[in-house]
Amino acid sequence: MFLFCYLSSLNYSSLDIKLRLKGSFKTWIIFCFLFQSSLIITPCRVSRDDIVGQGWIEVFLKQSAQNIKKAPILTVLNGVNKRSSILSHVIEQLKEDGVQVAETCISQRVCFAETNVNKISVIDYNKQATEEIVDFTNEVLNLIKSEA
């Protein structure tokens, strides 16, 4: 229903959408959400594949629809071992590449899998996980306020 209303407000016909996106309706949906966002959060693990993928996300978002004001992009490292020496190296490399990296990293914890399987929130289930989620939430809210 939301998509139909949004399509109507833009006065696009389905043929026009296909022509604009060379047949990729899924890409058009992504663009709709990106341009309505206050902040784009991209999760990234400390792995070569995720870091390369993060680079492609940055390129895609920065080059898409050049004339439209885009939301800031915030990369959050998740599934990390905070004692790992590679973590600080990855953060430094991403920042050198111009990627905005969240100060809060989300650790690899069994409680995330447990709460997911049990269909409950990790908040108040695990103290350290709760602290990380609250810290990340506050960081996101402060970033949105500063961009407004």
Side-chain angles (χ1 to χ4, degrees):
M1 186 62 128
F2 166 76
L3 181 60
F4 177 78
C5 295
Y6 193 75
L7 286 172
S8 298
S9 70
L10 293 176
N11 295 320
Y12 283 125
S13 68
S14 58
L15 177 60
D16 192 26
I17 293 167
K18 288 185 176 190
L19 292 174
R20 287 177 185 272
L21 297 171
K22 300 178 183 154
S24 177
F25 188 69
K26 183 194 275 185
T27 303
W28 190 85
I29 292 172
I30 291 170
F31 279 127
C32 287
F33 287 108
L34 292 179
F35 298 135
Q36 295 297 317
S37 301
S38 300
L39 175 66
I40 299 167
I41 300 171
T42 57
C44 182
R45 289 186 169 264
V46 181
S47 75
R48 185 177 133 315
D49 291 339
D50 273 20
I51 293 166
V52 169
Q54 182 62 37
W56 283 110
I57 290 169
E58 292 280 330
V59 168
F60 170 76
L61 292 173
K62 286 178 181 173
Q63 291 182 354
S64 62
Q66 295 285 335
N67 298 330
I68 297 175
K69 181 183 179 295
K70 292 180 274 307
I73 305 164
L74 179 66
T75 297
V76 59
L77 292 165
N78 66 337
V80 303
N81 178 346
K82 291 184 181 178
R83 294 174 289 184
S84 169
S85 61
I86 192 71
L87 176 61
S88 58
H89 174 74
V90 167
I91 292 171
E92 182 181 326
Q93 184 63 52
L94 287 170
K95 287 181 177 180
E96 284 178 11
D97 291 344
V99 175
Q100 185 174 5
V101 181
E103 294 297 321
T104 307
C105 295
I106 307 298
S107 299
Q108 175 68 40
R109 298 185 189 280
V110 172
C111 65
F112 288 116
E114 290 173 346
T115 55
N116 184 25
V117 167
N118 293 319
K119 299 179 184 174
I120 59 174
S121 171
V122 76
I123 303 297
D124 296 328
Y125 181 84
N126 178 285
K127 183 179 179 183
Q128 291 90 0
T130 299
E131 289 172 0
E132 287 179 348
I133 298 298
V134 168
D135 289 346
F136 180 65
T137 301
N138 288 331
E139 185 176 349
V140 166
L141 292 173
N142 288 333
L143 183 60
I144 291 171
K145 286 177 190 174
S146 70
E147 294 288 328

